[in-house]
Amino acid sequence: MSKQTNKQTYKICFCFRRRFPLTATEAPDEVKSLFDQYSENGAMSVDHLRRFLIEVQKESDLTVEDAQAIIDSLGHLHELRHLNIFARKCITIEAFFKYLFSDTNHPLPPARVHHDMSAPLSHYFIYTGHNSYLTGNQLSSACSDGPIRNALQRGVRVIELDIWPNSKKDNVEVLHGRTLTTPVELIKCLKSIKEHAFTASEYPVVITLEDHLTPDLQAKVAEMATQTFGDILFCPGSESLKEFPSPESLKKRIIISTKPPKEYLEAKEIKEKESDSQKGKALGDEQAWGREVSNLKGIPVANDKNDLDEDDNNEGEDLDDADPKSNQHAAPEYKRLITIHAGKPKGGLQDSFKVDPEKVRRLSLSEQQLEKAVQIHGKEIVRFTQRNILRVYPKGIRIDSSNYNPLIGWSHGAQMVAFNMQGHGRSLWLMHGMFRANGGCGYIKKPDFLLNTGPHNEVFDPNVILPVKKTLKVTVYMGEGWYHDFTHTHFDAFSPPDFYVRVGIAGVSADTIMKKTKTLEDNWVPDWNEKFEFPLTVPELALLRIEVHEYDMSEKDDFGGQTCLPVSELRSGIRAVPLHSIEGEKYKSVKLLMRFEFV
């Protein structure tokens, strides 16, 4: 392709002007070489294209008709319009490159559910929200059904509602208790859940209730839920289940999870562990795109100028303890709604992970409690989560609605790693990336090693470093689209941007790493052409992290896009990787051309 001759002008100090040439997007040398290898006399036929797609892209099931459809779809390109009918059965290097860099050449397979969905719920990672009704921070933001609607439309399958009596004690509101958050009526949240529950996925929605109600208001909740959801509400009765149902059997059903209700003691205030000073203290400033994700041992992956320390001293208590004596106070119609019983048994932490062969339950731990527990009870947690459900939630001092490293929970089999979905940052990007798998349905079958026991009843030990299972080779060729999606002075008022790429793995500790390309100065279409290798000991839990930043000598580097992709579903070959904003919204034009190879 020929170079463009037009130039872009930047003003400096209102007097001087700098002019930079705008070059057209041109195929990398490796793409040109592959085209030469799979073409003849500058033309790639249907057979050539099919051979390329099978041998390089590893699309073994591709037919001649599929290859022909790709060529037909490229027939509208300007470069092909002048060719005769015979030539249109082939494509040029320009068309070949445009196909590789097109939205149809995605790094993940077409969105469809392909995991076995007939196993018990405890066999799946489930897309889980925390305080799903909050519009912002944990202390003073408004409560609304809007964030619930947004989460469900993204594919989140677990919605958490904190339910409290209103000021007159005659109705039920949703709010973050003992804070300045403004409430929203429960009935409004329930109606939004019903309306949007299955827009993104037909698999079940779980409503986890943090209950602070009197028995008469519990009865009112039961009436609201029954009337709102009708036949789609799954009610197993008051007895605990011996095994959880499967996602397949619960398609388009709503299920309730909460602790066995206890009496609401109006005269007694529940004390928080955190002090007033801690309540007003954020974990740190998540400027621009957020702090770096720590690894499974709590150590930051990288220590560059964008990282921020995290205060880990104290946490708020999630009031999820069940008092067996409290069942006598419960409204029976409310108890019958509960499918997934929650609560912690009396005793120490080790007792919490005891498996009852006669019934299953849900256990909730804060991220900090989990971090401590995995150091001593790692294998017990894995065994517990083979039958029971473990929910992990953010610690109390995350008042800025930030999140934590979800891999700590997932590597130990935790199904409900609960996140604040209304925020942004690197941890949330991992959550988005994980649940792009399995067609984005919100349920991902856990790897077999987290579900199976050995011949001597042994289970997977997350603390043991395993041998490398496979190596992922990543080539970062180039990027484009910023010139179209951003104002031309967004990154730098005086010159084109200086982009670099961070690429790496989020996974078990042995696999977690981030690497970086060189910085290319003054270029809207950066052409890095750099290769990286990532040895993976547990590829089943690995996520490929990709970030683009613009280097700033004097200030914090500017954000240029990100994505996170499940390695287990990553397609081999040369792929166009679309990038997303800080909030996780896909850009219209910004994408990278990359190659993925598995050894």
Side-chain angles (χ1 to χ4, degrees):
M1 296 175 73
S2 60
K3 301 283 186 180
Q4 291 180 351
T5 57
N6 61 313
K7 295 177 180 291
Q8 183 183 17
T9 302
Y10 288 82
K11 291 183 179 180
I12 303 175
C13 299
F14 306 102
C15 301
F16 303 100
R17 294 188 174 207
R18 296 180 69 192
R19 304 187 75 192
F20 297 88
L22 285 175
T23 57
T25 306
E26 188 174 349
D29 290 341
E30 190 169 331
V31 171
K32 293 177 181 177
S33 176
L34 284 168
F35 180 82
D36 290 341
Q37 183 180 341
Y38 290 91
S39 67
E40 190 173 345
N41 298 323
M44 178 180 277
S45 67
V46 172
D47 289 336
H48 288 138
L49 177 60
R50 180 171 181 265
R51 192 159 61 87
F52 165 80
L53 293 171
I54 291 173
E55 295 177 6
V56 178
Q57 306 293 80
K58 307 301 181 186
E59 297 179 22
S60 57
D61 56 348
L62 197 104
T63 65
V64 173
E65 290 75 17
D66 295 328
Q68 183 63 60
I70 292 173
I71 290 181
D72 292 343
S73 71
L74 294 170
H76 68 281
L77 293 177
H78 173 76
E79 298 91 309
L80 300 185
R81 289 175 185 168
H82 67 283
L83 300 180
N84 59 37
I85 294 175
F86 174 77
R88 287 188 183 182
K89 295 179 181 178
C90 303
I91 56 175
T92 62
I93 176 62
E94 290 86 358
F96 177 63
F97 176 49
K98 283 185 178 292
Y99 163 68
L100 291 179
F101 222 157
S102 69
D103 292 335
T104 58
N105 186 33
H106 202 270
L108 298 180
R112 65 177 183 84
V113 176
H114 57 91
H115 291 182
D116 173 17
M117 303 300 284
S118 62
L121 287 175
S122 55
H123 288 206
Y124 299 85
F125 298 128
I126 311 174
Y127 208 173
T128 301
H130 173 255
N131 289 351
S132 305
Y133 47 87
L134 287 180
T135 58
N137 69 63
Q138 305 284 310
L139 289 182
S140 59
S141 66
C143 301
S144 168
D145 65 322
I148 296 171
R149 179 177 63 251
N150 294 339
L152 291 169
Q153 289 173 344
R154 185 179 279 277
V156 173
R157 298 291 84 193
V158 182
I159 299 296
E160 183 189 34
L161 303 177
D162 286 75
I163 49 178
W164 294 80
N166 66 354
S167 58
K168 295 181 180 180
K169 306 293 191 291
D170 63 353
N171 207 345
V172 181
E173 294 177 335
V174 174
L175 75 156
H176 197 201
R178 299 177 294 280
T179 67
L180 299 177
T181 55
T182 55
V184 60
E185 288 187 341
L186 172 64
I187 188 64
K188 190 174 183 181
C189 296
L190 297 181
K191 287 180 177 178
S192 274
I193 291 172
K194 181 183 180 183
E195 182 178 356
H196 300 284
F198 306 111
T199 55
S201 169
E202 61 184 351
Y203 288 96
V205 168
V206 181
I207 304 175
T208 58
L209 298 175
E210 288 299 318
D211 171 13
H212 307 273
L213 302 177
T214 54
D216 60 315
L217 289 179
Q218 290 170 353
K220 192 161 189 172
V221 170
E223 183 181 1
M224 283 185 202
T226 303
Q227 291 184 355
T228 302
F229 298 126
D231 292 340
I232 68 172
L233 183 64
F234 179 78
C235 299
S238 59
E239 297 301 318
S240 296
L241 296 170
K242 189 170 184 177
E243 184 177 71
F244 291 119
S246 70
E248 188 67 30
S249 69
L250 293 171
K251 272 186 177 178
K252 295 194 174 181
R253 303 296 293 271
I254 304 286
I255 58 182
I256 304 293
S257 176
T258 185
K259 57 186 176 290
K262 56 185 171 184
E263 186 176 14
Y264 179 78
L265 301 176
E266 186 177 10
K268 183 180 179 182
E269 288 189 5
I270 304 170
K271 301 294 184 182
E272 297 274 8
K273 281 188 175 181
E274 58 202 26
S275 66
D276 290 340
S277 62
Q278 288 164 338
K279 283 186 179 181
K281 178 184 177 184
L283 285 178
D285 185 5
E286 282 205 331
Q287 295 176 8
W289 59 85
R291 64 178 61 85
E292 180 56 86
V293 180
S294 61
N295 63 21
L296 300 195
K297 297 179 180 177
I299 303 169
V301 174
N303 189 24
D304 58 30
K305 65 180 179 179
N306 299 319
D307 297 335
L308 294 164
D309 292 331
E310 190 173 306
D311 186 352
D312 242 0
N313 295 328
N314 291 285
E315 65 176 273
E317 180 76 7
D318 184 24
L319 303 175
D320 201 30
D321 292 324
D323 181 357
K325 295 181 181 178
S326 67
N327 289 349
Q328 60 186 321
H329 303 291
E333 57 269 51
Y334 180 76
K335 288 175 64 178
R336 281 194 292 271
L337 296 181
I338 305 172
T339 297
I340 303 175
H341 285 245
K344 298 171 188 167
K346 296 297 181 182
L349 192 60
Q350 188 168 359
D351 294 330
S352 298
F353 304 122
K354 286 184 177 177
V355 177
D356 187 336
E358 297 302 317
K359 61 181 180 180
V360 289
R361 59 187 170 92
R362 190 198 89 201
L363 172 68
S364 283
L365 296 177
S366 73
E367 57 169 296
Q368 197 171 27
Q369 289 172 325
L370 179 67
E371 287 172 3
K372 294 175 181 177
V374 298
Q375 296 177 17
I376 304 172
H377 306 295
K379 289 189 288 186
E380 287 86 350
I381 297 173
V382 172
R383 193 181 303 278
F384 176 84
T385 56
Q386 290 180 342
R387 275 181 43 81
N388 301 280
I389 289 176
L390 176 60
R391 173 178 167 269
V392 186
Y393 58 91
K395 57 190 174 184
I397 61 171
R398 290 190 180 276
I399 62 170
D400 56 353
S401 292
S402 60
N403 290 297
Y404 51 99
N405 184 356
L407 270 303
I408 301 173
W410 291 332
S411 64
H412 289 80
Q415 297 87 350
M416 295 183 179
V417 178
F419 262 37
N420 294 305
M421 298 294 174
Q422 76 276 25
H424 64 266
R426 286 174 167 136
S427 296
L428 190 54
W429 301 342
L430 298 185
M431 182 66 65
H432 292 165
M434 179 70 161
F435 286 97
R436 288 189 174 107
N438 199 26
C441 75
Y443 285 82
I444 298 173
K445 186 81 181 300
K446 293 198 288 187
D448 288 342
F449 61 79
L450 287 173
L451 299 172
N452 297 337
T453 55
H456 304 291
N457 204 31
E458 68 270 20
V459 296
F460 173 71
D461 186 350
N463 295 319
V464 172
I465 298 178
L466 300 171
V468 172
K469 197 169 184 179
K470 66 171 65 173
T471 296
L472 171 63
K473 293 184 176 182
V474 176
T475 304
V476 182
Y477 291 120
M478 60 186 300
E480 69 169 11
W482 294 278
Y483 189 81
H484 303 291
D485 289 357
F486 291 83
T487 61
H488 297 169
T489 56
H490 175 88
F491 297 105
D492 195 320
F494 308 118
S495 66
D498 309 326
F499 287 125
Y500 65 89
V501 180
R502 297 180 75 223
V503 59
I505 297 293
V508 298
S509 294
D511 297 346
T512 300
I513 191 171
M514 288 297 284
K515 299 181 179 181
K516 179 180 170 182
T517 67
K518 58 182 176 289
T519 300
L520 295 183
E521 295 183 356
D522 302 333
N523 202 330
W524 282 103
V525 188
D527 187 7
W528 295 282
N529 275 307
E530 293 194 43
K531 299 178 184 291
F532 303 93
E533 289 193 8
F534 301 103
L536 303 174
T537 63
V538 187
E540 298 88 344
L541 295 178
L543 299 168
L544 179 66
R545 295 176 53 193
I546 302 166
E547 301 176 9
V548 176
H549 302 290
E550 198 270 341
Y551 176 74
D552 192 317
M553 184 181 298
S554 58
E555 299 178 4
K556 187 181 182 75
D557 292 352
D558 292 315
F559 175 83
Q562 59 82 23
T563 194
C564 188
L565 304 169
V567 170
S568 62
E569 300 209 358
L570 200 60
R571 300 167 82 188
S572 296
I574 300 171
R575 303 292 175 182
V577 180
L579 297 186
H580 300 73
S581 68
I582 291 171
E583 294 77 18
E585 300 301 321
K586 183 176 173 289
Y587 289 126
K588 287 183 179 179
S589 309
V590 178
K591 51 191 167 185
L592 301 178
L593 188 68
M594 306 179 69
R595 184 173 184 177
F596 308 114
E597 301 169 271
F598 290 99
V599 180

